[in-house]
Amino acid sequence: MLTPLADAVRATCGGKAGALGALVRAGLPVPDGFVVPFAAHLAAARDVSTTHGDARPAPTPGNLPPALLDAIAHRLHALGDGPVAVRSSAGDEDGAHASAAGQYRSVLGVRGVEQVADAVRACWTSLRSPQAVAYRDGSGPGAEPVMAVLVQRLVDADVAGVMFTADGPAGVTVVEASWGLGPSVVGGTVTPDAYRVAADGSVTAAIADKRTRVDRRATHLVTGDVAASDRARRTLDDAAVARLARLGRRVAAVLGGPQDVEWAMVDDELHVLQARPVTADLPASARPAQGPSPATLVGTPGSRGTATGAARIVRGPGDFARVRPGDVLVCPWTDPAWTPLLRLAAGVVTETGGVLSHAAIVARERGIPAVLGIPGATTRLHDARTLTVDGTAGTVTTHT
């Protein structure tokens, strides 16, 4: 009914759990856990269909079978009954050509069988969420979606982030990092520190103004302000960045190619939280120190290409109906719920976020130019004005 993480494979436990299972078997530092496999989801769906005459493959929220609850309680006890991370591991997630980055649910910091059961149901239900459906529609036809759920010990990180491992022996490893847990980096709500590790081991760093962080408080995640003295302080020294790069090479060797790795560090100990294939190349890191004119703003190149369209300031779901095909989205950051907008947008501009965030990954998969991390973009740029977004150079130009 449940699968130990060490035994997880993609065919029965999804891409996320399957990759982590391979890393566990190779002896890499992955938090222990277990998987609610595809079979449990399909069985729950059949129970719903039998009870309600509903043939949908995704069950609506309800009670998990008693035997499944008992199995989860047993596994949680074996993990120490502490806080856990409950994360999706869908059949179409973390693939070689489509990542589904951020499209399904993750619930961090839950504790006890009742909260874990609620989180499992949330992951199952997210298989049919509007953003997940829009993402799958944009990826072309595929197999009927199915969901496994990964449950792991939660790492209360001091520092966390994302790493793209080097593509070949002459490649560069790219690391993004910020204080606290990883959702602020993958969700693009903070502009993280960016580190590059060359083939010769040399490290270059671009230190960001990291204003917020996410941490666990009991069974909730809270967003708080970063102390003023830490905002411009390096999250990682060169030695830690080099250790991450070495870990990344081990991950890539086990999984057979360049990887997009989510990681966390606590008490100087590194943990691998996720690894999936890199689905689209990063744009070049070079960007101009300033724009060629006052009408040009400079940010981080997030997804290569150029697009021109009307600026559409989007601060939340209440603005979604205003977006028209060919508009340039200008937003504080992009949430996974905004994925349907990427089917309309010609380009994307954000106030915060790094090149390894979920939104940037999806933009690159969709071939949508994106420029990230332009402070105050939603007030410095004006609605309906014509913009040109150059996601290769990292510039946004307003046309008069």
Side-chain angles (χ1 to χ4, degrees):
M1 188 166 291
L2 299 177
T3 302
L5 182 55
D7 297 334
V9 295
R10 186 180 188 97
T12 58
C13 297
K16 187 179 297 177
L20 289 178
L23 297 180
V24 171
R25 293 189 290 274
L28 274 73
V30 176
D32 195 12
F34 60 90
V35 186
V36 184
F38 294 151
H41 178 221
L42 295 172
R46 286 193 295 271
D47 288 345
V48 169
S49 300
T50 300
T51 302
H52 301 288
D54 186 346
R56 291 176 299 172
T60 56
N63 293 326
L64 271 63
L68 180 56
L69 289 173
D70 289 344
I72 289 173
H74 176 75
R75 291 287 183 178
L76 290 175
H77 182 69
L79 291 176
D81 288 322
V84 294
V86 180
R87 307 176 72 195
S88 66
S89 185
D92 65 341
E93 196 169 6
D94 294 358
H97 303 291
S99 65
Q103 301 309 306
Y104 303 118
R105 282 294 303 274
S106 291
V107 187
L108 307 184
V110 297
R111 193 167 192 168
V113 66
E114 291 185 5
Q115 290 188 355
V116 170
D118 288 343
V120 168
R121 286 193 295 268
C123 290
W124 284 349
T125 302
S126 72
L127 194 63
R128 299 292 178 176
S129 68
Q131 66 262 26
V133 171
Y135 180 87
R136 291 196 297 268
D137 287 347
S139 299
E144 182 66 32
V146 65
M147 178 69 73
V149 181
L150 172 63
V151 181
Q152 290 176 281
R153 287 195 183 103
L154 182 74
V155 177
D156 281 320
D158 303 318
V159 180
V162 185
M163 166 174 52
F164 272 29
T165 67
D167 186 359
V172 173
T173 296
V174 179
V175 175
E176 292 187 339
S178 194
W179 304 115
L181 301 178
S184 60
V185 177
V186 298
T189 58
V190 67
T191 300
D193 292 346
Y195 304 91
R196 296 173 67 85
V197 185
D200 64 2
S202 59
V203 177
T204 57
I207 307 306
D209 181 21
K210 304 168 291 295
R211 292 180 172 268
T212 61
R213 59 181 290 160
V214 174
D215 294 283
R216 180 181 65 87
R217 296 287 183 269
T219 58
H220 300 281
L221 299 189
V222 296
T223 299
D225 293 333
V226 172
S229 59
D230 288 336
R231 289 180 179 176
R233 183 166 69 86
R234 285 182 64 144
T235 47
L236 301 169
D237 59 23
D238 282 1
V241 176
R243 285 172 55 210
L244 266 169
R246 290 193 295 271
L247 178 60
R249 287 194 292 271
R250 293 177 62 196
V251 171
V254 171
L255 298 179
Q259 297 291 307
D260 167 0
V261 180
E262 292 183 23
W263 57 270
M265 177 183 285
V266 59
D267 295 332
D268 206 38
E269 183 177 355
L270 289 172
H271 303 266
V272 177
L273 307 182
Q274 181 173 335
R276 59 184 168 215
V278 173
T279 54
D281 292 338
L282 297 175
S285 62
R287 61 178 180 173
Q290 61 184 30
S293 73
T296 297
L297 304 179
V298 177
T300 300
S303 178
R304 61 168 55 95
T306 303
T308 299
R312 196 61 60 208
I313 309 300
V314 177
R315 294 188 173 89
D319 295 320
F320 286 7
R322 300 174 51 247
V323 179
R324 297 290 180 266
D327 284 351
V328 173
L329 300 184
V330 181
C331 41
W333 60 82
T334 57
D335 184 89
W338 301 21
T339 299
L341 299 183
L342 297 182
R343 300 186 68 185
L344 302 176
V348 178
V349 180
T350 70
E351 295 184 323
T352 62
V355 70
L356 307 186
S357 65
H358 287 159
I361 292 169
V362 174
R364 289 193 293 274
E365 290 178 355
R366 295 287 186 263
I368 300 170
V371 178
L372 315 172
I374 297 182
T378 59
T379 54
R380 297 166 71 184
L381 300 171
H382 301 288
D383 203 66
R385 294 287 294 273
T386 301
L387 304 178
T388 293
V389 178
D390 187 335
T392 305
T395 60
V396 179
T397 301
T398 301
H399 301 282
T400 57

